[in-house]
Amino acid sequence: QNVAVILPAAGSGRRFGQDENKLFARLAGHPIWLVAAERLRAHRRVARIVMPISDQDRPRFEGEFGSQVDTLGIELACGGAERTDSVRAGVERVADDTAVQLIAIHDAARPLVRNADLDAVFAKADQTGAAILATPVTATVKQSLDAGASCRTVDRSTLWLAQTPQVFALDVLQRAYAKHRGRPATDDAELVGRIGVQVALVPGSPDNLKITHPNDLIVAEAILKTQHESNHA
Ligand code: CTP
Ligand code: MG
């Protein structure tokens, strides 16, 4: 057990459009964040789970969900305004843990990650120091430089969609965050790339979708059923 997980949960779920954080919405009766946390906790290599949350949500995580947080051994941390601020709080929490070899950052909004995909991305990060799950782009992608008046097709054979977990040697991620000075980044692999470290892509599964809009939850319910039937989770 030498993987520390950071499970950022400190967003507000603006695009999901409810009054509360989307992570409290139910997937087969359980809050999205809890389904995600249980999957990570079930992996044999996971030693710690640090979950950055917002000040606003803290009373619910400590009250309504306090027993689940305790049972899973989740350490709550203070998230920030941007996702990178939340991840940074998690990195600081595990920074001096000498038992940690890898840090895996996983969106609490991705509840359906498969155990076999965790195996694969952890193994790749053992070898390379930086690896992320991703899926090949299947759509035909158009680029337009004139607001849609004309377009060209982008060669999709080189394109991948980044997922999480994004997994790094502890020192790699610490160096990336030490250098990060606020220039926006949409994922942690981008920050790691900026310090000159190559990030390997590990083919994952479309099951590992991120819940962004309410429709994603409908799709996730269907995927969860197929995972139960094939016992592939
Ligand atoms: N997150 C976080 N801290 C932030 C912003 C996001 O920990 N300041 C977390 C979210 O809680 C989520 C993950 O990062 O688990 C991915 O972010 P996203 O899907 O964009 O969630 P939200 O930011 O909550 O949603 P939206 O962008 O629609 O507001
Ligand atoms: Mg967001």
Side-chain angles (χ1 to χ4, degrees):
Q1 284 192 327
N2 51 21
V3 177
V5 172
I6 300 173
L7 197 65
S12 59
R14 191 182 40 80
R15 287 170 289 179
F16 198 75
Q18 300 292 314
D19 294 339
E20 59 178 17
N21 188 344
K22 66 184 176 183
L23 298 176
F24 296 120
R26 305 281 165 152
L27 175 60
H30 302 284
I32 290 166
W33 70 270
L34 182 58
V35 179
E38 284 173 339
R39 296 244 171 157
L40 273 299
R41 174 46 80 204
H43 194 277
R44 62 190 168 79
R45 286 191 61 183
V46 170
R48 299 175 64 176
I49 301 177
V50 176
M51 187 163 75
I53 58 169
S54 65
D55 290 345
Q56 187 186 331
D57 288 341
R58 182 170 287 271
R60 290 192 74 183
F61 282 111
E62 289 180 342
E64 183 181 356
F65 298 113
S67 66
Q68 287 93 331
V69 166
D70 286 348
T71 304
L72 292 172
I74 293 172
E75 306 166 53
L76 299 176
C78 290
E82 301 295 330
R83 185 180 177 283
T84 45
D85 301 323
S86 300
V87 173
R88 188 192 293 276
V91 175
E92 283 166 6
R93 183 71 75 89
V94 298
D96 50 13
D97 185 339
T98 52
V100 170
Q101 281 173 15
L102 296 178
I103 298 202
I105 302 156
H106 184 63
D107 293 327
R110 293 186 189 270
L112 297 182
V113 65
R114 293 168 178 238
N115 199 268
D117 291 336
L118 294 177
D119 282 341
V121 71
F122 292 169
K124 192 70 177 181
D126 283 334
Q127 294 165 12
T128 65
I132 69 173
L133 287 180
T135 54
V137 168
T138 57
T140 296
V141 179
K142 301 290 188 188
Q143 181 181 44
S144 175
L145 299 173
D146 52 13
S150 67
C151 64
R152 67 172 196 92
T153 301
V154 180
D155 174 15
R156 73 174 173 222
S157 68
T158 63
L159 299 180
W160 296 70
L161 299 174
Q163 299 180 340
T164 69
Q166 303 200 337
V167 189
F168 310 100
L170 178 57
D171 68 295
V172 167
L173 194 62
Q174 279 175 313
R175 279 192 283 131
Y177 269 85
K179 276 258 170 88
H180 177 48
R181 292 280 179 274
R183 177 156 62 106
T186 51
D187 71 354
D188 302 289
E190 186 178 345
L191 296 184
V192 166
R194 284 180 195 166
I195 62 164
V197 172
Q198 287 191 349
V199 179
L201 296 176
V202 175
S205 162
D207 285 20
N208 186 22
L209 83 172
K210 184 164 73 72
I211 308 297
T212 304
H213 299 104
N215 271 355
D216 298 322
L217 202 49
I218 297 171
V219 175
E221 295 268 1
I223 293 171
L224 186 62
K225 281 207 187 91
T226 68
Q227 285 187 343
H228 283 151
E229 281 158 14
S230 59
N231 212 3
H232 265 320

